Amino acid sequence: MPDDSSHDPQELPHDDWRSYGPPQLPRVLESALSAFAEQGYHGTSIRDIAGGAGLSVPGVYHHYRSKQEILLALMVSVMDELLSRSRAALASVSDRPEDRFDVLVESLLRFHMFRRSQAFVASSEIRSLDAENRDRYVRLRDEQQQMITDIVSAGCVSGDFATAYPEDAARAVATLCVGVASWYRDDGPLQPDQLVRRHLGLARALVGGT
Amino acid sequence: MPDDSSHDPQELPHDDWRSYGPPQLPRVLESALSAFAEQGYHGTSIRDIAGGAGLSVPGVYHHYRSKQEILLALMVSVMDELLSRSRAALASVSDRPEDRFDVLVESLLRFHMFRRSQAFVASSEIRSLDAENRDRYVRLRDEQQQMITDIVSAGCVSGDFATAYPEDAARAVATLCVGVASWYRDDGPLQPDQLVRRHLGLARALVGGT
Amino acid sequence: MPDDSSHDPQELPHDDWRSYGPPQLPRVLESALSAFAEQGYHGTSIRDIAGGAGLSVPGVYHHYRSKQEILLALMVSVMDELLSRSRAALASVSDRPEDRFDVLVESLLRFHMFRRSQAFVASSEIRSLDAENRDRYVRLRDEQQQMITDIVSAGCVSGDFATAYPEDAARAVATLCVGVASWYRDDGPLQPDQLVRRHLGLARALVGGT
Amino acid sequence: MPDDSSHDPQELPHDDWRSYGPPQLPRVLESALSAFAEQGYHGTSIRDIAGGAGLSVPGVYHHYRSKQEILLALMVSVMDELLSRSRAALASVSDRPEDRFDVLVESLLRFHMFRRSQAFVASSEIRSLDAENRDRYVRLRDEQQQMITDIVSAGCVSGDFATAYPEDAARAVATLCVGVASWYRDDGPLQPDQLVRRHLGLARALVGGT
DNA sequence: CATGAATGAGCGTTCATTCAT
DNA sequence: CATGAATGAACGCTCATTCAT
């Protein structure tokens, strides 16, 4: 099994969490990503993946032990990058809940714009993970959700936010950001910064901020 | 091919759009629904569907010409019920944008609570529809989205709502309601009326209502 | 799964244990038998079996759940016929150990001549059975071996046989009979009755009979 | 291709044909042997063999051109050792048929005890040899069988043996000895010398010796 | 509607084998 | 000898679908 760790986003601390180059996925994952995004995990064959990666079928199995392992590698890599960028975003601001909220939402929005298909696959193929892998993955996702909830709760305590139901609001914020991956297009009418500004406004409204 | 139109929800005008009995799907669709919800369209075999419906495989083909036709029938039936309930909800109130918004959002929320798996499958399996069927279905879905956008726009004109970007806000409202299907559980901590109240508040915040 | 019990040798009591018609195996087993005999279980593909049976690959799976199940069905059917004929043979003679020995050996010899490939596959593919199936099969085989051992032991007690090591001798007798399946040919120089006579002589010598 | 002839048993004249050290097979053949013994030739992959030998897959191909060549090398080496020991055994006694018979049977028995899996694989995988290799191997095996037949025939002429069908008896003797490989265990109840004594008795009985 | 039988195509996976380094 | 990368062919098995009864 080859060493793919060079592609592991953890190794690249996303101190510049706002900048997105082209995703650095190994060929097989790249191919699997677009196939899963279009046809889903079960609708994609190893031959599809191999073809998209310019490999033969056994060539794919040289790198990954099974189709399931490809899915897992893909989803973990996505979640790793998301978490890494979220942490970097939070590390770049003060302790004020408002600032922390803004920067985290912005990071989520940008990720769901610029890693559209990754984010989409990661959220839609959880059920295709084996029980064990699913547990492992869900823990990562919950960690991300908790980051939002914690900030919203802190903001309620501090009086920066006014929602009576911080957890519901936090979930709505996450839903809003994740939803972006379902409709955003690079070539759409909305410029990234525009999108961020507008949706940050919506997110603030959800938590009863100013 | 037998006539299944007797199951068409359009025939039952949902004048009581708030009340949800058990869904009235033919056995095959019922079985397909839960299978698609758990494993997706491509992860489900005709044998799965037949087994779940207590039918033989040819028995399934007696009712539907293909697996694709099952998916289409299911998705159209879901959308029909959703639209039918939305129209009934709107028909039950005045012309005031605030009332219309509230009632439509409430209807959407209730549908995504009480037709959880239907709504989930309908939104996640669009890509599994044939090109032709997909067009047909998307038109229905756009119709639903347009209902929200129209009301939000009207509210902005009338001064009831204050958002600067009615279309983005309307989409966020829809995302919020659809998202409910992803996490709501009958046996969860939130009572239906409670959920409606809280999320109606969130929806109003999104459009800058009071 | 179709009912193959009509081919089950247990249902035809082999009261005429000496007479061998053509084997009455279902087409799939017939095909598997000759393929296994020539190339072994692992050297035989489902496509080989299907082709030999005049079926498509799924056609084979309509009758048997797996390749392993084919092997098991084959081996059990062989052992059933062998045991059934052995019992019939013993049931046809007196209690005298000499008679019982002669008739059992004759039955074994004839079986290994006229069910050559069956016997060969049954003895050579035990290792290809799953652990569970192997246990089940080995019990049947031990039962057959025990029939010989019991008779030899009885003959030693009665003084009909003179061997000092009845168990070793009984195993040698079985080895002798089973070995026939490795070299006997229908079109060989030795007539069946001739073969039986000569090898019955050898078997008697092994137990120190007269 | 490296020269493996240093492992060729012909170079170690088995003048002490009774003594068995651990088998001196090259690692690849050693690994192939145990794999073939357990799962058969077709049930064994090159990766199995490589793993068992502590080699990489290309490492195996460094020593042998193909899987088939491994099988051939293994079977020839087994047969070489068997024949070499048989000749050494015969060279150690007088011309008396009885002595020659005893010593040859003893050698065969010991070989099938102490080279159990070798003997088993050699006899069960003949069908897995290519046509050409099979011919070459069968000639060796026939040579071994002929040694027995010749001695039995000589004993009949000299009056030492009393069987009316020397060839059948000789084959039965071989079958008896070969059969030992199917059930003998190092840790079984029968000591090697005991086993030899008892089975020599059985072999003598087969040829009508005293 | 059921059962039973069937099939072409395709599934995920592994095979023996090769070559560059 | 190892590692790493690769491949055409084949593996056991399942797919959606059909037809006769």
Side-chain angles (χ1 to χ4, degrees), chain B residues 44-46 57 61 66-67:
Chain B
T44 298
S45 76
I46 289 280
V57 167
Y61 280 95
S66 67
K67 191 182 166 189

PDB file of all heavy atoms in Angstrom, chain B residues 44-46 57 61 66-67, chain F residues 14-20:
ATOM      1  N   THR B  44     -30.115  -0.515  -3.554  1.00  0.00           N
ATOM      2  CA  THR B  44     -31.306  -1.331  -3.330  1.00  0.00           C
ATOM      3  C   THR B  44     -31.594  -2.191  -4.553  1.00  0.00           C
ATOM      4  O   THR B  44     -31.567  -1.699  -5.672  1.00  0.00           O
ATOM      5  CB  THR B  44     -32.519  -0.418  -3.072  1.00  0.00           C
ATOM      6  OG1 THR B  44     -32.287   0.345  -1.898  1.00  0.00           O
ATOM      7  CG2 THR B  44     -33.789  -1.238  -2.905  1.00  0.00           C
ATOM      8  N   SER B  45     -31.868  -3.460  -4.335  1.00  0.00           N
ATOM      9  CA  SER B  45     -32.191  -4.341  -5.449  1.00  0.00           C
ATOM     10  C   SER B  45     -33.701  -4.564  -5.522  1.00  0.00           C
ATOM     11  O   SER B  45     -34.415  -4.393  -4.539  1.00  0.00           O
ATOM     12  CB  SER B  45     -31.487  -5.684  -5.285  1.00  0.00           C
ATOM     13  OG  SER B  45     -32.135  -6.460  -4.318  1.00  0.00           O
ATOM     14  N   ILE B  46     -34.135  -4.963  -6.700  1.00  0.00           N
ATOM     15  CA  ILE B  46     -35.550  -5.287  -6.868  1.00  0.00           C
ATOM     16  C   ILE B  46     -35.958  -6.372  -5.875  1.00  0.00           C
ATOM     17  O   ILE B  46     -37.072  -6.383  -5.367  1.00  0.00           O
ATOM     18  CB  ILE B  46     -35.797  -5.759  -8.315  1.00  0.00           C
ATOM     19  CG1 ILE B  46     -35.669  -4.568  -9.272  1.00  0.00           C
ATOM     20  CG2 ILE B  46     -37.167  -6.400  -8.451  1.00  0.00           C
ATOM     21  CD1 ILE B  46     -36.882  -3.692  -9.322  1.00  0.00           C
ATOM     22  N   VAL B  57     -40.596 -11.282  -7.096  1.00  0.00           N
ATOM     23  CA  VAL B  57     -39.986 -10.342  -8.028  1.00  0.00           C
ATOM     24  C   VAL B  57     -40.905 -10.069  -9.226  1.00  0.00           C
ATOM     25  O   VAL B  57     -41.124  -8.906  -9.573  1.00  0.00           O
ATOM     26  CB  VAL B  57     -38.594 -10.838  -8.477  1.00  0.00           C
ATOM     27  CG1 VAL B  57     -38.103 -10.039  -9.672  1.00  0.00           C
ATOM     28  CG2 VAL B  57     -37.603 -10.722  -7.322  1.00  0.00           C
ATOM     29  N   TYR B  61     -42.883  -6.471 -10.839  1.00  0.00           N
ATOM     30  CA  TYR B  61     -42.948  -6.033 -12.238  1.00  0.00           C
ATOM     31  C   TYR B  61     -44.375  -6.030 -12.771  1.00  0.00           C
ATOM     32  O   TYR B  61     -44.635  -5.476 -13.832  1.00  0.00           O
ATOM     33  CB  TYR B  61     -42.047  -6.916 -13.108  1.00  0.00           C
ATOM     34  CG  TYR B  61     -40.599  -6.525 -13.016  1.00  0.00           C
ATOM     35  CD1 TYR B  61     -39.737  -7.164 -12.135  1.00  0.00           C
ATOM     36  CD2 TYR B  61     -40.105  -5.476 -13.774  1.00  0.00           C
ATOM     37  CE1 TYR B  61     -38.411  -6.784 -12.032  1.00  0.00           C
ATOM     38  CE2 TYR B  61     -38.776  -5.090 -13.683  1.00  0.00           C
ATOM     39  CZ  TYR B  61     -37.929  -5.751 -12.808  1.00  0.00           C
ATOM     40  OH  TYR B  61     -36.617  -5.369 -12.700  1.00  0.00           O
ATOM     41  N   SER B  66     -40.327  -0.957 -14.315  1.00  0.00           N
ATOM     42  CA  SER B  66     -38.888  -1.003 -14.035  1.00  0.00           C
ATOM     43  C   SER B  66     -38.614  -0.385 -12.673  1.00  0.00           C
ATOM     44  O   SER B  66     -39.469   0.261 -12.063  1.00  0.00           O
ATOM     45  CB  SER B  66     -38.112  -0.246 -15.110  1.00  0.00           C
ATOM     46  OG  SER B  66     -38.413   1.125 -15.023  1.00  0.00           O
ATOM     47  N   LYS B  67     -37.384  -0.581 -12.234  1.00  0.00           N
ATOM     48  CA  LYS B  67     -36.949   0.008 -10.977  1.00  0.00           C
ATOM     49  C   LYS B  67     -37.023   1.533 -11.086  1.00  0.00           C
ATOM     50  O   LYS B  67     -37.436   2.213 -10.138  1.00  0.00           O
ATOM     51  CB  LYS B  67     -35.513  -0.446 -10.703  1.00  0.00           C
ATOM     52  CG  LYS B  67     -34.991  -0.147  -9.324  1.00  0.00           C
ATOM     53  CD  LYS B  67     -33.529  -0.609  -9.235  1.00  0.00           C
ATOM     54  CE  LYS B  67     -32.817  -0.057  -8.014  1.00  0.00           C
ATOM     55  NZ  LYS B  67     -31.357  -0.340  -8.045  1.00  0.00           N
TER      56      LYS B  67
ATOM     57  P    DT F  14     -24.475 -13.688  -4.260  1.00  0.00           P
ATOM     58  OP1  DT F  14     -24.619 -13.247  -2.869  1.00  0.00           O
ATOM     59  OP2  DT F  14     -25.131 -14.901  -4.772  1.00  0.00           O
ATOM     60  O5'  DT F  14     -24.934 -12.464  -5.188  1.00  0.00           O
ATOM     61  C5'  DT F  14     -24.190 -11.248  -5.140  1.00  0.00           C
ATOM     62  C4'  DT F  14     -24.865 -10.249  -6.057  1.00  0.00           C
ATOM     63  O4'  DT F  14     -24.500 -10.515  -7.426  1.00  0.00           O
ATOM     64  C3'  DT F  14     -26.397 -10.243  -6.008  1.00  0.00           C
ATOM     65  O3'  DT F  14     -26.796  -8.884  -5.887  1.00  0.00           O
ATOM     66  C2'  DT F  14     -26.802 -10.862  -7.333  1.00  0.00           C
ATOM     67  C1'  DT F  14     -25.641 -10.447  -8.245  1.00  0.00           C
ATOM     68  N1   DT F  14     -25.377 -11.325  -9.404  1.00  0.00           N
ATOM     69  C2   DT F  14     -25.240 -10.764 -10.639  1.00  0.00           C
ATOM     70  O2   DT F  14     -25.337  -9.572 -10.834  1.00  0.00           O
ATOM     71  N3   DT F  14     -24.981 -11.654 -11.656  1.00  0.00           N
ATOM     72  C4   DT F  14     -24.849 -13.029 -11.544  1.00  0.00           C
ATOM     73  O4   DT F  14     -24.617 -13.725 -12.521  1.00  0.00           O
ATOM     74  C5   DT F  14     -25.010 -13.554 -10.196  1.00  0.00           C
ATOM     75  C7   DT F  14     -24.885 -15.016  -9.963  1.00  0.00           C
ATOM     76  C6   DT F  14     -25.263 -12.690  -9.212  1.00  0.00           C
ATOM     77  P    DC F  15     -28.272  -8.473  -5.791  1.00  0.00           P
ATOM     78  OP1  DC F  15     -28.339  -7.404  -4.785  1.00  0.00           O
ATOM     79  OP2  DC F  15     -29.138  -9.664  -5.677  1.00  0.00           O
ATOM     80  O5'  DC F  15     -28.482  -7.802  -7.212  1.00  0.00           O
ATOM     81  C5'  DC F  15     -27.660  -6.676  -7.545  1.00  0.00           C
ATOM     82  C4'  DC F  15     -27.910  -6.252  -8.979  1.00  0.00           C
ATOM     83  O4'  DC F  15     -27.308  -7.202  -9.870  1.00  0.00           O
ATOM     84  C3'  DC F  15     -29.361  -6.209  -9.383  1.00  0.00           C
ATOM     85  O3'  DC F  15     -29.840  -4.911  -9.116  1.00  0.00           O
ATOM     86  C2'  DC F  15     -29.305  -6.418 -10.880  1.00  0.00           C
ATOM     87  C1'  DC F  15     -28.048  -7.261 -11.073  1.00  0.00           C
ATOM     88  N1   DC F  15     -28.262  -8.704 -11.354  1.00  0.00           N
ATOM     89  C2   DC F  15     -28.209  -9.163 -12.665  1.00  0.00           C
ATOM     90  O2   DC F  15     -28.055  -8.343 -13.568  1.00  0.00           O
ATOM     91  N3   DC F  15     -28.352 -10.478 -12.895  1.00  0.00           N
ATOM     92  C4   DC F  15     -28.527 -11.320 -11.867  1.00  0.00           C
ATOM     93  N4   DC F  15     -28.637 -12.616 -12.134  1.00  0.00           N
ATOM     94  C5   DC F  15     -28.595 -10.871 -10.512  1.00  0.00           C
ATOM     95  C6   DC F  15     -28.470  -9.567 -10.310  1.00  0.00           C
ATOM     96  P    DA F  16     -31.380  -4.716  -8.978  1.00  0.00           P
ATOM     97  OP1  DA F  16     -31.555  -3.433  -8.277  1.00  0.00           O
ATOM     98  OP2  DA F  16     -31.998  -5.939  -8.429  1.00  0.00           O
ATOM     99  O5'  DA F  16     -31.873  -4.556 -10.488  1.00  0.00           O
ATOM    100  C5'  DA F  16     -31.262  -3.616 -11.334  1.00  0.00           C
ATOM    101  C4'  DA F  16     -31.763  -3.813 -12.747  1.00  0.00           C
ATOM    102  O4'  DA F  16     -31.395  -5.137 -13.220  1.00  0.00           O
ATOM    103  C3'  DA F  16     -33.282  -3.731 -12.903  1.00  0.00           C
ATOM    104  O3'  DA F  16     -33.581  -3.156 -14.159  1.00  0.00           O
ATOM    105  C2'  DA F  16     -33.710  -5.199 -12.824  1.00  0.00           C
ATOM    106  C1'  DA F  16     -32.548  -5.903 -13.515  1.00  0.00           C
ATOM    107  N9   DA F  16     -32.333  -7.263 -13.001  1.00  0.00           N
ATOM    108  C8   DA F  16     -32.372  -7.675 -11.702  1.00  0.00           C
ATOM    109  N7   DA F  16     -32.146  -8.953 -11.529  1.00  0.00           N
ATOM    110  C5   DA F  16     -31.938  -9.428 -12.814  1.00  0.00           C
ATOM    111  C6   DA F  16     -31.652 -10.709 -13.313  1.00  0.00           C
ATOM    112  N6   DA F  16     -31.524 -11.789 -12.539  1.00  0.00           N
ATOM    113  N1   DA F  16     -31.511 -10.844 -14.652  1.00  0.00           N
ATOM    114  C2   DA F  16     -31.641  -9.750 -15.428  1.00  0.00           C
ATOM    115  N3   DA F  16     -31.898  -8.491 -15.069  1.00  0.00           N
ATOM    116  C4   DA F  16     -32.044  -8.403 -13.726  1.00  0.00           C
ATOM    117  P    DT F  17     -35.080  -2.881 -14.525  1.00  0.00           P
ATOM    118  OP1  DT F  17     -35.065  -1.734 -15.457  1.00  0.00           O
ATOM    119  OP2  DT F  17     -35.900  -2.835 -13.300  1.00  0.00           O
ATOM    120  O5'  DT F  17     -35.461  -4.186 -15.343  1.00  0.00           O
ATOM    121  C5'  DT F  17     -34.649  -4.579 -16.449  1.00  0.00           C
ATOM    122  C4'  DT F  17     -35.055  -5.958 -16.933  1.00  0.00           C
ATOM    123  O4'  DT F  17     -34.633  -6.967 -16.000  1.00  0.00           O
ATOM    124  C3'  DT F  17     -36.561  -6.195 -17.110  1.00  0.00           C
ATOM    125  O3'  DT F  17     -36.852  -6.192 -18.507  1.00  0.00           O
ATOM    126  C2'  DT F  17     -36.813  -7.564 -16.488  1.00  0.00           C
ATOM    127  C1'  DT F  17     -35.397  -8.115 -16.303  1.00  0.00           C
ATOM    128  N1   DT F  17     -35.269  -9.091 -15.186  1.00  0.00           N
ATOM    129  C2   DT F  17     -34.922 -10.380 -15.491  1.00  0.00           C
ATOM    130  O2   DT F  17     -34.707 -10.778 -16.626  1.00  0.00           O
ATOM    131  N3   DT F  17     -34.831 -11.239 -14.409  1.00  0.00           N
ATOM    132  C4   DT F  17     -35.060 -10.912 -13.080  1.00  0.00           C
ATOM    133  O4   DT F  17     -34.948 -11.766 -12.200  1.00  0.00           O
ATOM    134  C5   DT F  17     -35.412  -9.539 -12.829  1.00  0.00           C
ATOM    135  C7   DT F  17     -35.677  -9.068 -11.424  1.00  0.00           C
ATOM    136  C6   DT F  17     -35.494  -8.701 -13.885  1.00  0.00           C
ATOM    137  P    DT F  18     -38.317  -6.333 -18.997  1.00  0.00           P
ATOM    138  OP1  DT F  18     -38.378  -5.657 -20.303  1.00  0.00           O
ATOM    139  OP2  DT F  18     -39.262  -5.996 -17.912  1.00  0.00           O
ATOM    140  O5'  DT F  18     -38.393  -7.903 -19.240  1.00  0.00           O
ATOM    141  C5'  DT F  18     -37.500  -8.512 -20.168  1.00  0.00           C
ATOM    142  C4'  DT F  18     -37.786 -10.008 -20.221  1.00  0.00           C
ATOM    143  O4'  DT F  18     -37.452 -10.616 -18.956  1.00  0.00           O
ATOM    144  C3'  DT F  18     -39.255 -10.355 -20.485  1.00  0.00           C
ATOM    145  O3'  DT F  18     -39.314 -11.083 -21.708  1.00  0.00           O
ATOM    146  C2'  DT F  18     -39.678 -11.198 -19.269  1.00  0.00           C
ATOM    147  C1'  DT F  18     -38.339 -11.684 -18.742  1.00  0.00           C
ATOM    148  N1   DT F  18     -38.303 -11.980 -17.280  1.00  0.00           N
ATOM    149  C2   DT F  18     -37.949 -13.235 -16.856  1.00  0.00           C
ATOM    150  O2   DT F  18     -37.671 -14.139 -17.620  1.00  0.00           O
ATOM    151  N3   DT F  18     -37.943 -13.417 -15.499  1.00  0.00           N
ATOM    152  C4   DT F  18     -38.243 -12.465 -14.529  1.00  0.00           C
ATOM    153  O4   DT F  18     -38.199 -12.747 -13.338  1.00  0.00           O
ATOM    154  C5   DT F  18     -38.601 -11.160 -15.042  1.00  0.00           C
ATOM    155  C7   DT F  18     -38.942 -10.071 -14.090  1.00  0.00           C
ATOM    156  C6   DT F  18     -38.619 -10.976 -16.370  1.00  0.00           C
ATOM    157  P    DC F  19     -40.655 -11.173 -22.498  1.00  0.00           P
ATOM    158  OP1  DC F  19     -40.278 -11.021 -23.914  1.00  0.00           O
ATOM    159  OP2  DC F  19     -41.696 -10.329 -21.877  1.00  0.00           O
ATOM    160  O5'  DC F  19     -41.031 -12.698 -22.236  1.00  0.00           O
ATOM    161  C5'  DC F  19     -40.023 -13.701 -22.382  1.00  0.00           C
ATOM    162  C4'  DC F  19     -40.494 -14.992 -21.727  1.00  0.00           C
ATOM    163  O4'  DC F  19     -40.232 -14.949 -20.318  1.00  0.00           O
ATOM    164  C3'  DC F  19     -42.002 -15.253 -21.882  1.00  0.00           C
ATOM    165  O3'  DC F  19     -42.170 -16.565 -22.371  1.00  0.00           O
ATOM    166  C2'  DC F  19     -42.533 -15.099 -20.463  1.00  0.00           C
ATOM    167  C1'  DC F  19     -41.315 -15.543 -19.652  1.00  0.00           C
ATOM    168  N1   DC F  19     -41.305 -15.071 -18.239  1.00  0.00           N
ATOM    169  C2   DC F  19     -40.961 -15.965 -17.219  1.00  0.00           C
ATOM    170  O2   DC F  19     -40.693 -17.136 -17.514  1.00  0.00           O
ATOM    171  N3   DC F  19     -40.962 -15.528 -15.947  1.00  0.00           N
ATOM    172  C4   DC F  19     -41.254 -14.265 -15.672  1.00  0.00           C
ATOM    173  N4   DC F  19     -41.224 -13.864 -14.400  1.00  0.00           N
ATOM    174  C5   DC F  19     -41.588 -13.335 -16.702  1.00  0.00           C
ATOM    175  C6   DC F  19     -41.601 -13.775 -17.963  1.00  0.00           C
ATOM    176  P    DA F  20     -43.562 -16.968 -22.998  1.00  0.00           P
ATOM    177  OP1  DA F  20     -43.341 -17.141 -24.446  1.00  0.00           O
ATOM    178  OP2  DA F  20     -44.651 -16.089 -22.514  1.00  0.00           O
ATOM    179  O5'  DA F  20     -43.728 -18.406 -22.331  1.00  0.00           O
ATOM    180  C5'  DA F  20     -42.562 -19.136 -21.916  1.00  0.00           C
ATOM    181  C4'  DA F  20     -42.967 -20.220 -20.942  1.00  0.00           C
ATOM    182  O4'  DA F  20     -42.831 -19.738 -19.582  1.00  0.00           O
ATOM    183  C3'  DA F  20     -44.409 -20.697 -21.077  1.00  0.00           C
ATOM    184  O3'  DA F  20     -44.445 -22.091 -20.819  1.00  0.00           O
ATOM    185  C2'  DA F  20     -45.149 -19.895 -20.009  1.00  0.00           C
ATOM    186  C1'  DA F  20     -44.085 -19.809 -18.927  1.00  0.00           C
ATOM    187  N9   DA F  20     -44.191 -18.604 -18.086  1.00  0.00           N
ATOM    188  C8   DA F  20     -44.430 -17.319 -18.504  1.00  0.00           C
ATOM    189  N7   DA F  20     -44.460 -16.449 -17.526  1.00  0.00           N
ATOM    190  C5   DA F  20     -44.227 -17.212 -16.382  1.00  0.00           C
ATOM    191  C6   DA F  20     -44.152 -16.879 -15.019  1.00  0.00           C
ATOM    192  N6   DA F  20     -44.285 -15.640 -14.563  1.00  0.00           N
ATOM    193  N1   DA F  20     -43.918 -17.887 -14.151  1.00  0.00           N
ATOM    194  C2   DA F  20     -43.777 -19.129 -14.616  1.00  0.00           C
ATOM    195  N3   DA F  20     -43.829 -19.567 -15.877  1.00  0.00           N
ATOM    196  C4   DA F  20     -44.068 -18.542 -16.718  1.00  0.00           C
TER     197       DA F  20
END
